[in-house]
Amino acid sequence: MATLPPGPRSSLGFMVRYLRDPIGCMLPLAREYGDPVLFPGNPAVVFTGDPAGIKAIYGADPDTFEPLNQDLGVFVGARSLILLGGAEHRRARKLMTPPFHGARMRAYGEQIVRLTEQRTAAWRPGQRVSMLDTLQHVSLDVILQAIFGVTDPERMASLSKLLLEITNGISPLIALVPSLRREFGGVGPYASFMRRRKHLHEQLDALIAERRAAGPREDILSLLLSARYEDGRPMPDDEVRDQLVLLVLAGHETTAIAIAWSLYALHRPENAAVLERLRAELEGADPAPDVMEKLPYLEATCQETLRRYPIAPAPSPRRLLRPFELMGYTLPAGMGVCAAIALAHFREEAYPEPMRFRPERFMERQFSPFEFLPFGGGSRRCLGAAMASYEMKLVLGTLLRRYRLRLDSLRPDTGAVRAANAGPARGVKMIVEELIARPTRAR
Ligand code: HEM
């Protein structure tokens, strides 16, 4: 029996294909080499989309792995959750999980609907809008209010501008190639990223000091500051700051991309019946967030979007700290392993006609967490999954209730790499056709 799975000799061709088609690029490899597939590199990484392989990874003792992308500290902060391993990760995760609990998200429902309405209030029939830009603003507004607790419009605008400059300024090249991260005497994308980062840290330090001085509040930052580790100590301020940066980077673009993909898929001519069914469901229901959240076809549409357009096609691999058995292979310590979402979500066995956008499949059967895993899994499953799912339903529902839209171009979009995510390549440009409802309630 071979000890390592087969795979291509070089990962270069794959990297080029990944930049062009981040969602579909893994499928030809799995067809050619099978699943799991080994990618050469330093370290070599084994990818699998097979439920048995994914179960083995997510079900393993978390101390089997450490995070691989240690070099991302400059972007997300060296103490941020995503870069911590072992006991440190467990400790920080335990402290950060309660504020993100699904039931808590409901406190932000009205805010999410209102912020969506405010960001689109100026839309007029005939106008051409970039959905991704608009949605990035909406999801940043939600993060600033729900997580940071910032409601002053001027402060929201200045933080929002800075955060967008930072996230949009992280080019895939400097994210993927550490050797390009040089300041070159203060010019170039990395130098401007570092300047903005310094400015952001100053603003976040001021915000943390204010929240510490203020009494108890509803926002996630305040909950985090009042939480205590088992030894009774709070999370130090510089660590809280790293977590805030991570939450913005992990949370705002991903959610915006997911909703933009939904709108793209729903307005493709081949999916007209899906859009019609969803509109009928929304029109027949009360627009209150707690009702909208439970609409079954809206829920299925959001799930199908996350399946068909996985935002993290192959989330950061884990490095093995000891030998690991994966689907009959013995992988050595030092090698990387990755639950490849973009392979799992296109398996014919679970999803017949996998390229078709068909929300009904989520109403016809239940998928296991090893078949449907848009938020990853195991001990590192996305911390913001409940928030993202809730926000997706409310923002999409609110937009479809208020506007009739059409795609500006019917050219298929296979996606592009944006920072570390797979998003629509052209930002989903749409034309506002009609305003069909006033804001849902007087505010
Ligand atoms: C549709 C939107 C989103 C998608 C598809 C998504 C997806 C993911 C994925 C695939 C992972 C990696 C899991 C793994 O390694 O197994 C992850 C991690 C993470 N996500 Fe999300 N995410 C989304 C939104 C959010 C939001 C809104 C937040 C917070 C505001 C957030 C915070 C995080 C954090 C903190 C981690 C690191 C968890 C850890 O290492 O323990 N994400 N996300």
Side-chain angles (χ1 to χ4, degrees), residues 205-233:
D205 289 344
L207 189 68
I208 292 168
E210 275 171 42
R211 287 288 176 282
R212 279 232 188 267
R217 293 170 44 128
E218 274 288 292
D219 55 85
I220 290 177
L221 169 57
S222 299
L223 297 174
L224 209 57
L225 291 174
S226 61
R228 295 288 177 268
Y229 286 121
E230 269 162 15
D231 61 8
R233 286 185 307 115

Side-chain angles (χ1 to χ4, degrees), residues 271-295:
N271 300 327
V274 177
L275 179 60
E276 201 177 315
R277 181 167 174 189
L278 181 56
R279 277 198 181 289
E281 184 182 72
L282 287 164
E283 278 158 22
D286 186 315
D290 53 339
V291 178
M292 196 139 56
E293 183 214 358
K294 296 195 183 76
L295 295 177

